[in-house]
Amino acid sequence: MNDKKILLIYTGGTIGMVKDYASGALRAFNFDELLKNIPELNQLDCSIDTVSFQEPIDSSDMGTSDWVRIVEIIEAYYDSHDGFVVLHGSDTMSYTAAALSFLLENLSKPVILTGSQLPIGDLRTDAKENLITSIQIAALQERGRSVIREVGLYFEYKLYRGNRTTKINAEHFQAFASLNYPHLIESGVHLNVFKEYLLPHKKNRKPKFHKQMDENVAVLKIFPGLNQRALDGVLKTEGLRVLIVETYGSGNAPTADWFIDSIKMAIKNGLHVINVTQCSGGSVLMGQYETSTQLKKMQVISGKDITTEAAIAKAMYMLGSDVSDALFKTVFETELRGEMH
Ligand code: ASP
């Protein structure tokens, strides 16, 4: 019985690409062909509708307006469908997953992003398993309710919380990691759901589809040899409202006067400065070392164990939601969608 209705949203990426034999480059192909390539989809216990971006894109071209487009599609089909699978290039999939997690508030249905390392037409493709299992996860229900009620990212036998992921490998099929949060589902002979890690269900909350993202955000990765001109160049960016500083280890940065004074002045002038670690795992803990004590004193915002991808999305979402300057630090340091601890 085809009782569950799943909407497949095709945005682009390797999963739907073919090789242009003249140039050797991969280019997007027609979405109808994607379904033709996987006749197995017809055997699934659900009906599948599809919506495609008019111009499927490589995910390097994804921007905030594309995120909003995905939100609008999900909003339009939210009541009529039980779950959503977003086919997306893997390069920026973690950013989109994080952005959607903030833009889609109070989800009671799954939104699963997936893609592949090899095109769907390739003999050794990872696309089929990723796509088929993502659809099964999107259709998964218990006592009439969706099991997953958040934005997830499915790749190579694991479902992760989307806003906890990072792309860590351009070669391996296991392209993603979620170093600060356990995966939510493991696909083996059975789909093993780790219920204790799912976002708790909020009763009687209506879904909200947010559509504003403010792009006045920049990221600065600290490195030995970073000089004042480079720092000042970033700080002088016109209209900049949030600077995410990727620091060392547990949130440590140079203690040189020019560095501390520039950041202090920028904060005084209204810039929100967020401390995230450039380590793949672990958390910012300002004050643990002398090299972060100053940052803590001048009210630098702690990103705790958030990924840089999620920090960017959260900052853009909060600026877009008009969170007041006075509340910005408190709200950023609060977990909104399971993105930090
Ligand atoms: N460049 C591709 C993209 O992100 C890679 C992929 O799909 O995996 O769109």
Side-chain angles (χ1 to χ4, degrees), residues 263-284:
I263 298 279
K264 202 186 270 176
M265 185 57 84
I267 293 175
K268 221 168 160 194
N269 291 337
L271 185 72
H272 302 292
V273 178
I274 301 168
N275 187 347
V276 302
T277 174
Q278 53 186 253
C279 292
S280 328
S283 185
V284 162

Side-chain angles (χ1 to χ4, degrees), residues 108 140-149 201 203:
S108 60
L140 209 57
Q141 294 201 352
E142 218 178 65
R143 279 181 260 119
R145 276 195 344 209
S146 297
V147 172
I148 304 295
R149 292 181 225 114
H201 181 48
K203 276 201 186 123

Side-chain angles (χ1 to χ4, degrees), residues 81-335:
H81 286 71
D82 299 295
F84 303 84
V85 174
V86 181
L87 300 181
H88 195 288
S90 62
D91 288 347
T92 66
M93 196 186 291
S94 293
Y95 293 87
T96 300
L100 292 181
S101 78
F102 295 110
L103 293 171
L104 300 168
E105 192 175 351
N106 300 332
L107 274 183
S108 60
K109 302 182 179 187
V111 174
I112 312 295
L113 285 98
T114 195
S116 66
Q117 291 283 56
L118 282 175
I120 198 98
D122 195 291
L123 263 185
R124 296 173 51 249
T125 190
D126 51 333
K128 285 192 187 184
E129 198 283 318
N130 285 347
L131 175 56
I132 289 169
T133 309
S134 292
I135 294 172
Q136 284 185 323
I137 289 173
L140 209 57
Q141 294 201 352
E142 218 178 65
R143 279 181 260 119
R145 276 195 344 209
S146 297
V147 172
I148 304 295
R149 292 181 225 114
E150 56 184 287
V151 177
L153 186 155
Y154 183 81
F155 227 85
E156 193 61 4
Y157 303 108
K158 286 193 181 118
L159 179 77
Y160 306 96
R161 174 162 300 150
N163 59 28
R164 288 290 195 157
T165 60
T166 303
K167 183 170 180 182
I168 46 138
N169 205 303
E171 166 71 20
H172 294 165
F173 286 143
Q174 178 140 13
F176 290 88
S178 167
L179 285 157
N180 284 335
Y181 200 76
H183 50 276
L184 310 176
I185 293 184
E186 182 143 15
S187 162
V189 174
H190 298 105
L191 279 183
N192 207 350
V193 183
F194 303 105
K195 287 201 177 140
E196 62 276 33
Y197 299 131
L198 303 178
L199 273 187
H201 181 48
K202 292 180 186 161
K203 276 201 186 123
N204 303 326
R205 300 256 184 107
K206 278 216 162 94
K208 286 189 194 161
F209 303 92
H210 300 277
K211 290 170 195 143
Q212 296 298 327
M213 281 269 176
D214 184 327
E215 296 172 348
N216 288 306
V217 172
V219 179
L220 174 73
K221 182 169 184 159
I222 301 286
F223 55 93
L226 169 71
N227 67 29
Q228 187 162 10
R229 271 170 293 131
L231 175 65
D232 287 348
V234 177
L235 291 175
K236 280 192 196 122
T237 308
E238 213 188 301
L240 189 67
R241 298 184 66 197
V242 169
L243 178 65
I244 296 165
V245 184
E246 269 199 5
T247 56
Y248 305 127
S250 54
N252 307 314
T255 52
D257 286 345
W258 64 265
F259 181 83
I260 297 297
D261 291 346
S262 296
I263 298 279
K264 202 186 270 176
M265 185 57 84
I267 293 175
K268 221 168 160 194
N269 291 337
L271 185 72
H272 302 292
V273 178
I274 301 168
N275 187 347
V276 302
T277 174
Q278 53 186 253
C279 292
S280 328
S283 185
V284 162
L285 196 63
M286 285 187 282
Q288 193 183 17
Y289 290 93
E290 235 168 71
T291 41
S292 63
T293 305
Q294 290 275 18
L295 303 179
K296 188 176 183 179
K297 270 195 202 140
M298 55 189 168
Q299 296 294 299
V300 165
I301 299 165
S302 175
K304 303 182 185 177
D305 66 349
I306 201 168
T307 61
T308 301
E309 292 89 330
I312 293 169
K314 187 172 184 177
M316 288 180 172
Y317 162 71
M318 282 175 54
L319 292 176
S321 311
D322 289 330
V323 173
S324 72
D325 283 342
L327 280 179
F328 196 91
K329 183 175 190 296
T330 311
V331 176
F332 195 93
E333 290 177 349
T334 306
E335 173 187 339

